[in-house]
Amino acid sequence: MSTPALVAQRLVKVHGWILKAVEDRDEEQLCERIAPTAPSIGFHLWHVARWADRVQAALPAMHPGLERLGRTEELWLSSALAAAWGFPAAVAADANGMGLDDDVSASLPLPPKAVLLDYARRSFTAADRAATAAAASEEIFETPCTDLYGRPNPIGDVVIGHLSHAGRHLGMIEALRGLSGRGTATI
């Protein structure tokens, strides 16, 4: 198996582990903040799903070989989720959780668990599909692009960057589960 294919396969696993780590949490446990500077498990789930959503929407535009995925818009935007969930206008435009101070992140009106999980599943599935397509060849994976931060990088760096990011948030979710006295996730 090629290195790009292994990376894509691992991303699919990490997305699955994140979902597994939150599925047994109830509404209260998803919103619980262990400390004023520690975002909730629900926030971590939403944040990593937002980034998966951004990745799935960006990859098809980065290489002609990915056109078969179709031109996609972020699910967050096409479903107008910021408005549907009641996000404040100042946060809603490019809401992804980056750069929010503790009070703002704590006050985000995350939806009920079923709605949040549905968004995460749809974002992860779309990102997994896009990453798997990008990993179909070394040529696509190594193609230069402008990444989600506006920097020049290969397409593979976008996929690996999201894998790393998702893994960090999985670790945070596991730590929060442990600190809440309800055990860590087993993957």
Side-chain angles (χ1 to χ4, degrees):
M1 183 178 291
S2 70
T3 299
L6 286 169
V7 168
Q9 183 181 66
R10 178 55 56 153
L11 180 60
V12 171
K13 286 180 181 180
V14 168
H15 283 156
W17 292 334
I18 290 169
L19 292 170
K20 182 179 177 189
V22 302
E23 284 174 342
D24 68 343
R25 305 291 88 181
D26 62 27
E27 302 282 344
E28 182 180 326
Q29 292 165 335
L30 281 178
C31 296
E32 180 181 23
R33 292 183 68 210
I34 302 297
T37 57
S40 69
I41 288 173
F43 177 87
H44 286 288
L45 175 62
W46 166 75
H47 172 68
V48 77
R50 277 296 292 126
W51 277 95
D53 194 2
R54 294 185 79 189
V55 166
Q56 70 84 20
L59 284 177
M62 293 180 176
H63 190 279
L66 299 176
E67 289 172 353
R68 66 185 176 278
L69 294 172
R71 302 287 292 172
T72 60
E73 186 177 10
E74 292 177 31
L75 301 167
W76 181 257
L77 300 175
S78 65
S79 299
L81 293 179
W85 294 3
F87 271 47
V91 176
D94 191 32
N96 62 39
M98 298 267 306
L100 297 180
D101 69 29
D102 296 327
D103 292 335
V104 173
S105 68
S107 70
L108 291 179
L110 296 178
K113 175 184 174 179
V115 174
L116 181 58
L117 277 172
D118 177 66
Y119 173 64
R121 284 186 189 106
R122 290 186 303 132
S123 294
F124 292 165
T125 297
D128 293 345
R129 181 173 165 249
T132 299
S137 78
E138 297 274 346
E139 182 267 326
I140 292 174
F141 219 64
E142 294 172 4
T143 299
C145 71
T146 301
D147 70 15
L148 297 171
Y149 297 100
R151 301 175 304 209
N153 270 308
I155 288 174
D157 190 68
V158 173
V159 176
I160 292 168
H162 179 61
L163 170 60
S164 170
H165 183 238
R168 288 193 328 263
H169 285 281
L170 172 60
M172 290 178 214
I173 290 167
E174 291 173 330
L176 289 169
R177 286 175 57 104
L179 287 170
S180 70
R182 296 179 189 97
T184 60
T186 301
I187 53 173

